[in-house]
Amino acid sequence: MAVQDYLSVAVWLEYVQFAIGLMGEEGGIERVRSVFEKALTSCGLHVTQGVSIWEAYREFEMAIYMGLMAQAIGADAAVQDRDSANRQKEKVKSLFKRQLRVPLYDMNGTFEEYKEFVAECNEPVDKNIEHQYKKAFDQLNQRKDFEAALMTSDPPHLEEYRSYLAFEKKHGDPARVQCLFERAIQENCLAGDLWLQYLEYLDSDLKIANIVLAVYERAVRNCPWTVAIWQRYMVALERTEAEDSKVQDVFNRALNSGLTQAADYVATWLIYIDYLRRRISWDGEDEADRRLRTDAVRNAFAKAHEQLTEFFGDKADPSAQVVKYWAFFEAFYCKRMDEARKLWNEKIMQLGHGREASFWLEFYQFERVFGDENHCRKVLLKGVHTASDFPEMIVEELKNFERYYGTLESYDSSMEKCEAQMERVRERREKAAGKELQAAKKQGKPAAAKPGQQKPVAPKQKGAAAAPSAQNQKRLTAVLQQHTQSVEKANQRKAPAGRMEEQENGSGASAAAPGPDEASMVDSEGFKVPGFCAPKKAPKRAANDTEQDDGEGADKRRAWEPEVKKPRVDEAVRNQQTVFVSNLAFSTDEEQVKAAFHRASISGLVEVRLVGKRGNRSRGYGYVEFDNEASAMQALSIDRTMVEGRPMFVSVCRPDGEREKVFHFSTELEKSKLFISNLPFTITKEALNTIFEPYGPLKDVRMVTYRNGKPKGLAYVEYATEEAAQQAILKCNGLLIGDREIAVAISNPPKRKEPGFRKDDDETPEMRMYLGASVEELGPRGRGRSQVQLLPRSLSVKATPALAAGQTAQPAKMSNDDFRKMLLK
């Protein structure tokens, strides 16, 4: 029924009107009263609209009272008619009394009607009713601010309802809290967290089975993607001692409800297994029945593990909750320790967790609780040899175990094995660190040490020289200093006069290249000292490097030294203060780019450099430099601002060696972001704001365009909450805008291919032949060899593809003309 789905005063009034139309049937008046009472239970406490139900009920009873009074006034009226009229009068007075105890809008008018009614009946005003009216009126004044906030705010009023609910819960009237929850749900039916709050309140405070289960059924119908509702629903069914078939039905519906995360399926399975386990009575139950229920639990564990692995792979249950629970069930309840160990070894350690020390320590604790000392020692020793992340933790735990339980022989044996294994671990780590250091040197970056690891040390090689002594080290240092001074003097002799002062102050360019004799030197004892050769080519100067030249030095400036007036800034700092702009029109100049940043109120702009600018045209990209890093970060916010009809891309400036293609937007599932397709090409961002803003606060609206700025008919709309996004899908999917029916869905883009991926990387030659391509012999660097035909075309014969074993050549297809020629021979 409609009245059972959502709270609606208008629907209840329609239902009452329908019941009044059938009042002439037998028992019609009592049926109408029953409908009115249900309406009052549902929405009689609605502060702003509940008065409509009360007034309709009073008018109905007043009409009956006036009819009975007309029959009782006559001289020939029977005593029975007067008694009926008096009973009806008491019903009307009872309705007044009940209504005046409830804080409702326009209750002062209701009190005035009550006084008029009792005056017509020649009765005084009941002091108790007047006292209850004043008390309810005070309660109404306390709620007027909350009701005013609901009236003045934009739908769906979720935050206003939360504040209102907190107030009602504090005053502890369950019926009023339930009515307010129903009002909030009516406007926020897709808000999963609101349904959860409502259900939690019903479970803890109301505890009426038929009401609670009915609300759960409505909740899973409105928010099937909220796994916590399904979990609470199964627990509520168990709490109310529902039949097994009902719990099984709800569990199957939960699995088929379209849950998106593996963790949701894990949680659902665990709740259901909890229910199956609690059904087993380990003391008073029949042995056969207990065996059946135990097998049902085992089957559930096996099916859960199989299903999770099938659909989500090894990462379905990263902490192995299901299998750990299964092993605990076998060891604690069924006393089958061998089966529990088998589960740990085959379904946890051998399926991806054997290299993690934390799992071995958990296995060890499991053995300490349910196993014996020998198996504890075996688990720890196996963990030391298998774990690759932190085997030191297992070694430490093994030491403690031997201290508490072991003998001297077992301690010595265990420590010998641990030391041998840790030596192998150290060798592997040193090799890995060496490779990482070499790779970092090739890229020109310092190798970053991982947390908790020492600095990488190059592995020792056999026959390598020992470290120099302190005396030799001092001698080597002195020679290096002497070499450095000689190089500096040579540079001073070669440098122009205008640069001598800079080199003396330490602000000049790098030293010139030493000669052949300076590149390698020999000290007094015959030790060869490597030289530090500077590049012979003059270094490229940054645009912001500055010289303090004056006099003749300025006239002797080299051609590669640009004349700039900015202070010298470190290159790394300068990159952080610069942004990269691209996708510009070739006709765009520096002033237009500056204007775009000035319109966004971004201060501190120092320079705009467009690359390859010739005349009035550029290459469409360049750099914008600021005087501080904060302004550069602020500049990223105007990414895709329109400049000359094209979206200007603004991104972080990276050195040439670190540049890579970066996708600026998330490619993962985002439940609060919507993807809208099939939009008219003429729609604007402001129009999308107008369409989607009524369903919740928006964080961002992004139109998808081609590089030239023309729209693709696609857009992304991001909300602040997932509930607002779900409501927008419900209301806007299939909406007709112009002559197009738009499609609205949760943003879940396909996975982007890794850089360097080629579609045919994993195709074998046989696969390419099957797809109709020829198998080419590749030359150097994977390119095809020259295909020059050295035979005249008139003598060449087309090669036919080789036939596989067992295949026969198929005759060539003949046309009608070929058949005609063949028959005329």
Side-chain angles (χ1 to χ4, degrees), residues 188-193 195 219-230 253-254 257-261 264 268 671 722-727 729-730 746:
N188 300 273
C189 61
L190 300 179
D193 58 339
W195 278 106
V220 296
R221 188 172 69 250
N222 283 274
C223 299
W225 55 83
T226 306
V227 66
I229 297 179
W230 290 105
R253 287 166 57 194
S257 62
L259 304 176
T260 57
Q261 304 294 330
D264 295 343
T268 304
K671 295 184 180 180
E722 297 179 9
E723 293 76 14
Q726 294 292 342
Q727 192 163 6
I729 293 176
L730 186 67
I746 293 293

Side-chain angles (χ1 to χ4, degrees), residues 239-496:
R239 188 181 296 118
T240 57
E241 299 180 355
E243 296 181 356
D244 292 347
S245 58
K246 178 63 176 176
V247 180
Q248 178 73 35
D249 177 65
V250 171
F251 170 68
N252 290 332
R253 287 166 57 194
L255 292 182
N256 296 321
S257 62
L259 304 176
T260 57
Q261 304 294 330
D264 295 343
Y265 284 95
V266 172
T268 304
W269 271 106
L270 290 176
I271 289 292
Y272 180 61
I273 292 171
D274 289 342
Y275 164 74
L276 295 178
R277 180 189 60 78
R278 286 192 288 259
R279 290 192 313 162
I280 304 174
S281 176
W282 300 98
D283 297 327
E285 196 171 30
D286 181 66
E287 181 65 27
D289 191 20
R290 183 165 59 249
R291 189 179 297 110
L292 288 175
R293 293 181 183 273
T294 304
D295 291 340
V297 175
R298 287 198 185 99
N299 293 335
F301 276 123
K303 190 172 182 181
H305 180 70
E306 179 184 357
Q307 186 185 83
L308 291 170
T309 306
E310 178 183 357
F311 290 107
F312 298 99
D314 296 338
K315 303 300 181 182
D317 189 6
S319 57
Q321 297 181 71
V322 174
V323 182
K324 288 178 185 176
Y325 191 3
W326 190 357
F328 177 84
F329 176 80
E330 296 289 355
F332 182 76
Y333 290 103
C334 303
K335 311 302 179 185
R336 300 173 61 189
M337 193 58 194
D338 291 340
E339 186 66 24
R341 291 190 184 103
K342 184 178 179 182
L343 290 171
W344 266 98
N345 286 314
E346 295 183 359
K347 295 189 179 299
I348 296 180
M349 295 307 182
Q350 295 180 10
L351 294 181
H353 298 294
R355 295 186 176 277
E356 301 177 41
S358 59
F359 278 86
W360 284 106
L361 292 176
E362 285 189 60
F363 192 6
Y364 161 67
Q365 294 297 336
F366 183 81
E367 284 287 357
R368 286 194 63 180
V369 176
F370 302 108
D372 51 50
E373 294 179 11
N374 291 332
H375 283 92
C376 287
R377 184 178 289 106
K378 288 180 180 178
V379 168
L380 289 174
L381 287 172
K382 192 172 182 180
V384 170
H385 287 80
T386 308
S388 60
D389 52 357
F390 302 105
E392 300 89 347
M393 298 170 59
I394 307 178
V395 171
E396 190 64 27
E397 195 64 38
L398 181 57
K399 288 181 180 179
N400 293 331
F401 175 80
E402 293 294 352
R403 177 178 295 120
Y404 298 150
Y405 304 103
T407 62
L408 180 60
E409 290 78 8
S410 65
Y411 175 82
D412 290 340
S413 175
S414 298
M415 291 304 100
E416 182 180 356
K417 294 177 181 178
C418 288
E419 289 174 2
Q421 176 62 19
M422 291 309 299
E423 182 63 27
R424 289 190 287 269
V425 170
R426 280 190 290 271
E427 291 177 359
R428 287 199 299 266
R429 288 178 178 174
E430 288 175 356
K431 290 180 181 179
K435 291 180 180 179
E436 183 179 352
L437 185 61
Q438 292 177 1
K441 286 181 178 179
K442 290 181 180 179
Q443 297 178 359
K445 302 179 185 177
K450 296 182 179 179
Q453 291 186 358
Q454 297 179 352
K455 294 182 180 179
V457 180
K460 294 183 179 180
Q461 299 179 357
K462 293 184 179 180
S469 63
Q471 183 179 0
N472 290 339
Q473 185 68 36
K474 291 181 180 178
R475 187 185 304 112
L476 182 60
T477 303
V479 172
L480 289 176
Q481 291 178 352
Q482 180 182 0
H483 167 70
T484 304
Q485 291 175 1
S486 64
V487 172
E488 290 179 353
K489 290 180 181 179
N491 289 339
Q492 290 176 2
R493 290 193 298 269
K494 296 178 182 179

Side-chain angles (χ1 to χ4, degrees), residues 9 40 43-55 99 104:
V9 174
L40 290 178
C43 49
L45 298 178
H46 196 303
V47 176
T48 57
Q49 301 179 18
V51 64
S52 301
I53 299 292
W54 287 102
E55 288 181 352
Q99 182 179 355
L104 300 171

